[in-house]
Amino acid sequence: MSLDSESSSPSSSRDWFFPSPSFIHSTSHSPQSPTYPRKFSTISTHPRSSPPHWKPPAHGDPKYGRLRRRVDFTRRSEKTPKQEGDGPVLAHKRDVSKAVPSEKTAAGEIGFRVFGQRVKIRWQMAFSLAILITAFGSLVHKNFSLHDQVIDLQDQISIMNIRLQACNMLDPLDTISISQESDHLSSKGLKVLALTISIALLSLPIFLFKYIDYISKLRSSYNSSEKVSLNKQLEYRVDVVLSVHPYAKPLALLVATLLLICLGGLALFGVTDDSLADCLWLSWTYVADSGNHANSEGMGPRLVSVSISFGGMLIFAMMLGLVSDAISEKLDSLRKGRSEVVEQNHTLILGWSDKLGSLLNQLAIANESLGGGTVVVMAERDKEEMELDIAKMEFDFRGTSVICRSGSPLILADLKKVSVSKARAIIVLADDGNADQSDARALRTVLSLTGVKEGLRGHIVVELSDLDNEVLVKLVGGELVETVVAHDVIGRLMIQCARQPGLAQIWEDILGFENCEFYIKRWPQLDGMQFEDVLISFPDAIPCGVKVASRGGKIILNPDDSYILQEGDEVLVIAEDDDTYAPSTLPTVNGASFMHIARPARKPQKILLCGWRRDVDDMIVVLDAFLAPGSELWMFNEVVESERDRKLDDGGLDLSRLVNIQLVHREGNAVIRRHLESLPLESFDSILILADESVEDSAIQADSRSLATLLLIRDIQAKRLPYREAMVTRGQRGSFSRGSWIGEMQQASDRSVIISEILDPRTKNLLSMSKISDYVLSNELVSMALAMVAEDRQINDVLEELFAEEGNELHIRLAELYLHEGEELSFYEMILRARQRREIVIGYRLANAERAVINPPAKNERRRWSVKDVFVVITEKE
């Protein structure tokens, strides 16, 4: 048979290739060709080597077209001997098949006579069928074995083809076709493998979950005491990982995205003809944009692309959820003040109270000279509420920025969040409410602050409510802590102001940063100078004391004139700001003549206390130290007298140790007129209206009660005092007429002093306009003291001495103790005259003025004074 006739038949899926003997002979004797088999297009026609269903390849098949040009075969038109021999046999078989029906008919006619012959014919048929089955089985077996051999030969041909190409023995077109065929076969296997792997990996989680569920049920059946199944334990572990590690959710989403892209790319590689890299990129496009799968063609690619797009939609939905949750959490963190404060040298305020507004105002004024500062407020309140309340405060922050954070000062993590270790001062505010609970919380806050591992750069200023707890807080905090007992400071100020009307305004000027305040600084040029000369060395400040280096930095107020400043000593002054004063050359001051005027003796006083507060026992002790012997202290409140004795005894007051005062008890309500009318209000030298303990938690209620008590007392006094004999020579004050109701109360205020404890700063304006009371603004003064101690902790020692029963204090003196009527003197000369009495003059108030002037300018200018003027001095307590 010719090669052309064979190539015209349709191609079959199974081909057999055998080399021609002539080709083998020619190649085996060629000196240049290697001795290995080649692929041929001729097939042997031997019946045992040809399967019955084989068909020659189609004509023009590219797999064999090139080889046909290189190998020449002889055409055979005649049949092979084997085929000629098979002709009679096939004809005989056809004759037999045609004769069978007639034989059966004949057999049917002869009956049992030919029974044995019929049986013999059936055994021949079975034998022939067995031979055919055996032959067919051998042919099938050989078919499969030949197929395996073909595969091996194809692999060997690929290897040999590469070698032939290296030796330039093959045509490049043959090499390309053969390499393409081998690449096609290998890529087809890879695609099947990739599709299998992707399906296996996708089905793996299902089998894993089923296995876990099976193990869990198996364990529960074997061990009935085990209450938690395996799947629940795994769910719990995953829950813990996702909740503990902040980046677990994004990492899990990233891993899921990569797995989806890889599995989708493998699946696409198995169902399409694209390369693996292109399939991975196409998988990513399906994940990123679910609409890209619309261009897919074919059932397999469409099914895979839809699956990838569906997974991409889920992943992007989870990604959007995570991003949205992260943004919401960040905004919520910023709104609630959970972010960290990165500041240095800032002032940190822990807690929230009514004093915060005044405190922020004072700190803003103190930082104005520095161009503004930073104040951080941390309290257990919502950040937005704190910022809203601070925004409502009616004062200028002067460049100072206030940062609010929500947190507890008892938690170290919250303290680190506000950079507590880098703050230059830490202020702990007392809570509104019970004094013992507030001080206990302040004590725990100090313990938390001392437990900061990084250490504290600044000092701690703690506001306490009860003087008895001061020792414990200082014991815990050590040298880092400065304490300001609010009730004790206000009580002592009220007592000083009751004895000396007008002193409240002076304390406001000294404690606040708006006017003049205390500063301590070293001036080396003053070393070796006597304190008397130091007094007149500062044209813009008034020296008040010396911080002695040789005595461990102890501050001595009002030292002797002969004290000589040593190296390391610092000077305490009253100045407008720390950068507004400096020493200058000594001015020329005329020597002051000595005034032989004796200090007036103290007279017994009659004082009324309206209301009850928890530290009233401390106030009684201070009053006993300040007042002259024979003084009376009337106590008017709603507490039963027997209960008063018990409370005073619990407070540590020993009534038998009172020397200068005598207690007089009266029971009644200070806001009921008939109860007040039972008191001799016109006979009291001073009346102290306290913020009653029952309403001190609410500043508005306490101020309303104090204001009502003040108005009722003034009205009763106005009706009882003899106005024709009253001291009205000072002239009409304000714009009210003498016959008006407020004018009568103003005249009554000339005969007695009423000190009201005011908690809300808004109540101050009402009293300032009426001018019927010398008031004490409680919260504002405490805030001023806290701010001053926060700026310089050394000032706390100065304030403690000025408020104490012993040592030096602020005092208001009449001008007649220092000069004669109409005498002309400079302020420096007044300072030198006051030094004769061991006093330091820090300011004055003229007879026709309403406010005192502290640290006056132009101290060397002479002016005419009046004996009705008063001077503010620092002097030892009488």
Side-chain angles (χ1 to χ4, degrees):
M1 183 184 296
S2 66
L3 185 62
D4 296 335
S5 63
E6 292 176 358
S7 62
S8 62
S9 302
S11 61
S12 175
S13 60
R14 298 177 181 172
D15 298 331
W16 289 264
F17 305 93
F18 294 94
S20 173
S22 62
F23 178 79
I24 295 174
H25 176 75
S26 62
T27 54
S28 60
H29 292 81
S30 176
Q32 297 179 356
S33 60
T35 59
Y36 45 79
R38 293 185 61 185
K39 186 175 181 181
F40 300 98
S41 60
T42 59
I43 308 297
S44 174
T45 59
H46 197 278
R48 294 183 180 179
S49 62
S50 299
H53 59 276
W54 176 86
K55 294 181 181 180
H59 178 71
D61 193 341
K63 297 181 180 180
Y64 311 102
R66 301 302 301 175
L67 293 178
R68 186 167 64 247
R69 294 183 302 171
R70 302 182 65 85
V71 182
D72 187 14
F73 296 95
T74 60
R75 299 179 180 269
R76 295 180 182 179
S77 60
E78 68 276 13
K79 297 181 179 179
T80 62
K82 181 66 178 177
Q83 290 174 339
E84 292 177 354
D86 289 342
V89 176
L90 294 177
H92 175 70
K93 288 182 178 180
R94 287 194 295 269
D95 295 339
V96 172
S97 62
K98 293 179 181 179
V100 169
S102 62
E103 184 180 4
K104 287 182 178 179
T105 305
E109 291 176 354
I110 60 177
F112 292 97
R113 185 174 56 82
V114 292
F115 182 76
Q117 184 179 0
R118 293 179 63 186
V119 172
K120 183 178 180 181
I121 293 174
R122 290 184 177 180
W123 278 108
Q124 290 178 353
M125 291 176 63
F127 182 74
S128 299
L129 182 64
I131 293 175
L132 290 174
I133 293 174
T134 304
F136 180 77
S138 62
L139 290 175
V140 171
H141 174 71
K142 190 161 187 177
N143 184 14
F144 281 104
S145 63
L146 290 174
H147 179 66
D148 295 337
Q149 293 178 10
V150 167
I151 294 176
D152 295 338
L153 289 174
Q154 286 177 351
D155 295 338
Q156 294 180 8
I157 288 171
S158 299
I159 298 173
M160 297 307 170
N161 192 24
I162 296 174
R163 295 180 180 178
L164 288 174
Q165 185 179 5
C167 298
N168 296 323
M169 296 298 297
L170 287 177
D171 191 357
L173 296 176
D174 296 335
T175 305
I176 294 174
S177 61
I178 296 174
S179 62
Q180 286 179 352
E181 179 184 359
S182 60
D183 292 342
H184 176 72
L185 293 174
S186 61
S187 63
K188 186 175 181 180
L190 289 176
K191 290 180 182 295
V192 174
L193 179 62
L195 187 61
T196 306
I197 292 175
S198 61
I199 296 175
L201 291 178
L202 285 175
S203 59
L204 182 62
I206 300 176
F207 292 105
L208 184 61
F209 291 151
K210 292 293 184 182
Y211 178 75
I212 292 174
D213 188 56
Y214 170 74
I215 294 297
S216 178
K217 291 180 180 179
L218 191 64
R219 286 186 179 180
S220 62
S221 61
Y222 287 158
N223 188 8
S224 59
S225 62
E226 186 179 358
K227 298 181 180 179
V228 183
S229 59
L230 180 60
N231 52 1
K232 289 185 178 180
Q233 292 181 5
L234 292 176
E235 290 177 3
Y236 170 72
R237 296 299 178 187
V238 173
D239 246 359
V240 169
V241 170
L242 293 179
S243 59
V244 171
H245 301 283
Y247 299 104
K249 293 180 181 179
L251 186 60
L253 184 61
L254 178 61
V255 172
T257 305
L258 294 177
L259 285 177
L260 179 60
I261 294 174
C262 293
L263 293 178
L266 288 177
L268 287 174
F269 180 69
V271 297
T272 61
D273 296 333
D274 298 334
S275 64
L276 181 60
D278 294 338
C279 291
L280 289 175
W281 177 254
L282 191 62
S283 175
W284 158 246
T285 60
Y286 291 160
V287 172
D289 187 1
S290 58
N292 287 338
H293 71 279
N295 298 327
S296 301
E297 296 181 357
M299 182 59 66
R302 287 179 179 177
L303 182 62
V304 174
S305 61
V306 169
S307 303
I308 298 174
S309 300
F310 183 73
M313 287 188 291
L314 292 179
I315 285 180
F316 267 85
M318 291 187 291
M319 183 182 300
L320 289 176
L322 287 179
V323 172
S324 177
D325 291 343
I327 294 175
S328 299
E329 185 178 354
K330 185 62 178 178
L331 293 178
D332 187 64
S333 175
L334 294 175
R335 182 179 63 84
K336 293 185 177 181
R338 297 175 183 171
S339 59
E340 185 177 355
V341 175
V342 184
E343 294 286 349
Q344 292 184 358
N345 296 325
H346 58 284
T347 302
L348 176 61
I349 301 177
L350 303 178
W352 187 280
S353 68
D354 295 334
K355 306 179 185 67
L356 182 64
S358 302
L359 179 59
L360 291 177
N361 186 23
Q362 294 301 319
L363 292 175
I365 297 172
N367 294 328
E368 184 179 10
S369 60
L370 302 176
T374 303
V375 179
V376 180
V377 181
M378 187 178 75
E380 297 182 38
R381 297 186 60 194
D382 187 72
K383 176 176 176 287
E384 291 182 339
E385 293 181 0
M386 291 190 289
E387 291 176 345
L388 184 61
D389 292 341
I390 292 175
K392 293 179 181 179
M393 297 177 181
E394 299 177 353
F395 59 84
D396 185 11
F397 285 96
R398 297 176 171 85
T400 296
S401 58
V402 181
I403 302 173
C404 297
R405 287 292 181 268
S406 296
S408 174
L410 305 180
I411 302 176
L412 290 177
D414 290 343
L415 291 176
K416 292 181 180 179
K417 183 174 62 178
V418 292
S419 301
V420 64
S421 59
K422 300 178 182 179
R424 63 184 179 92
I426 305 169
I427 302 175
V428 181
L429 294 180
D431 294 337
D432 297 331
N434 185 271
D436 293 332
Q437 294 180 359
S438 175
D439 290 349
R441 184 175 180 82
L443 179 63
R444 293 196 300 269
T445 302
V446 173
L447 284 173
S448 300
L449 292 173
T450 54
V452 176
K453 295 181 180 180
E454 295 81 1
L456 299 180
R457 179 185 301 180
H459 59 284
I460 307 171
V461 183
V462 183
E463 178 195 1
L464 297 176
S465 301
D466 197 336
L467 185 62
D468 298 334
N469 300 322
E470 182 181 17
V471 178
L472 185 59
V473 173
K474 286 187 175 181
L475 179 64
V476 171
E479 298 180 354
L480 289 175
V481 174
E482 297 291 339
T483 58
V484 176
V485 185
H487 275 68
D488 183 65
V489 170
I490 297 305
R492 294 173 183 271
L493 281 177
M494 291 185 69
I495 293 173
Q496 290 185 8
C497 296
R499 293 170 49 237
Q500 305 176 68
L503 197 59
Q505 176 256 317
I506 297 172
W507 270 115
E508 283 187 4
D509 292 343
I510 293 179
L511 291 178
F513 286 97
E514 290 181 330
N515 297 306
C516 295
E517 53 274 354
F518 290 106
Y519 293 101
I520 299 178
K521 189 180 294 185
R522 167 162 170 76
W523 303 98
Q525 59 268 40
L526 300 180
D527 292 346
M529 187 180 297
Q530 292 185 353
F531 185 74
E532 182 180 14
D533 296 331
V534 174
L535 282 173
I536 57 176
S537 298
F538 293 88
D540 299 314
I542 298 178
C544 303
V546 178
K547 180 180 179 181
V548 182
S550 59
R551 299 181 61 177
K554 181 180 179 180
I555 298 177
I556 301 178
L557 281 175
N558 190 17
D560 295 335
D561 291 341
S562 59
Y563 178 80
I564 300 175
L565 269 67
Q566 306 295 328
E567 183 178 359
D569 289 351
E570 301 179 23
V571 181
L572 171 68
V573 301
I574 294 179
E576 185 176 358
D577 208 342
D578 58 350
D579 57 353
T580 60
Y581 73 98
S584 62
T585 57
L586 289 177
T588 302
V589 181
N590 296 330
S593 58
F594 183 75
M595 298 289 296
H596 298 280
I597 301 177
R599 179 179 300 175
R602 292 187 299 170
K603 298 180 180 180
Q605 296 185 16
K606 192 175 182 179
I607 298 178
L608 173 65
L609 280 180
C610 291
W612 184 274
R613 51 188 290 175
R614 58 181 173 271
D615 59 345
V616 70
D617 53 323
D618 297 327
M619 295 184 66
I620 293 175
V621 173
V622 176
L623 282 170
D624 184 68
F626 282 160
L627 297 179
S631 300
E632 292 183 0
L633 178 60
W634 289 56
M635 303 186 65
F636 179 72
N637 49 70
E638 297 181 89
V639 181
V640 183
E641 185 174 351
S642 59
E643 185 69 15
R644 295 180 194 176
D645 295 336
R646 186 189 65 80
K647 288 186 175 182
L648 292 176
D649 184 65
D650 292 342
L653 177 63
D654 187 1
L655 298 178
S656 61
R657 300 182 63 179
L658 297 179
V659 178
N660 298 325
I661 60 175
Q662 179 183 358
L663 295 182
V664 179
H665 295 282
R666 289 291 186 271
E667 184 178 347
N669 193 339
V671 295
I672 299 178
R673 186 182 183 89
R674 59 185 180 86
H675 290 177
L676 290 172
E677 288 179 344
S678 63
L679 300 174
L681 298 177
E682 69 279 1
S683 62
F684 291 109
D685 297 299
S686 300
I687 299 176
L688 304 181
I689 302 176
L690 306 178
D692 199 87
E693 187 179 24
S694 59
V695 293
E696 68 175 356
D697 293 343
S698 176
I700 296 178
Q701 293 184 10
D703 289 351
S704 300
R705 184 181 179 90
S706 300
L707 186 58
T709 302
L710 170 64
L711 295 176
L712 288 174
I713 292 175
R714 283 303 189 201
D715 186 56
I716 296 173
Q717 287 180 338
K719 289 180 171 53
R720 291 182 181 180
L721 289 177
Y723 294 109
R724 293 181 180 178
E725 300 176 3
M727 297 174 58
V728 295
T729 56
R730 296 185 181 180
Q732 182 178 356
R733 299 193 302 175
S735 59
F736 302 102
S737 63
R738 292 176 182 266
S740 65
W741 173 66
I742 295 182
E744 292 178 353
M745 287 192 294
Q746 288 177 354
Q747 296 179 31
S749 66
D750 293 336
R751 296 294 302 272
S752 63
V753 177
I754 297 182
I755 306 298
S756 302
E757 182 180 5
I758 302 301
L759 303 180
D760 194 343
R762 291 172 293 185
T763 313
K764 172 185 176 181
N765 299 328
L766 299 176
L767 297 178
S768 299
M769 292 175 61
S770 63
K771 302 178 183 179
I772 58 176
S773 172
D774 192 357
Y775 61 91
V776 171
L777 191 58
S778 172
N779 284 349
E780 191 168 357
L781 287 177
V782 174
S783 301
M784 291 176 180
L786 290 172
M788 183 168 290
V789 178
E791 291 296 318
D792 190 352
R793 61 179 305 180
Q794 304 173 103
I795 304 302
N796 197 29
D797 296 335
V798 179
L799 299 180
E800 287 181 353
E801 181 174 350
L802 293 177
F803 293 150
E805 297 88 355
E806 299 178 354
N808 292 271
E809 67 173 344
L810 287 180
H811 215 286
I812 296 179
R813 299 292 194 190
L814 295 175
E816 60 186 13
L817 296 177
Y818 309 101
L819 51 82
H820 300 286
E821 180 67 31
E823 190 173 2
E824 290 187 1
L825 296 172
S826 66
F827 190 78
Y828 277 145
E829 292 175 339
M830 290 301 308
I831 291 177
L832 295 180
R833 285 198 178 185
R835 289 305 297 166
Q836 297 176 0
R837 305 171 61 91
R838 188 68 185 282
E839 297 174 351
I840 299 176
V841 180
I842 63 173
Y844 60 86
R845 189 183 71 185
L846 301 178
N848 56 355
E850 295 182 357
R851 298 184 63 89
V853 179
I854 305 299
N855 183 28
K859 298 180 177 60
N860 207 20
E861 292 183 3
R862 301 173 66 88
R863 60 175 305 160
R864 189 178 298 275
W865 302 92
S866 172
V867 293
K868 296 180 181 179
D869 299 334
V870 295
F871 290 96
V872 183
V873 300
I874 297 178
T875 183
E876 293 183 355
K877 292 180 174 62
E878 300 175 355

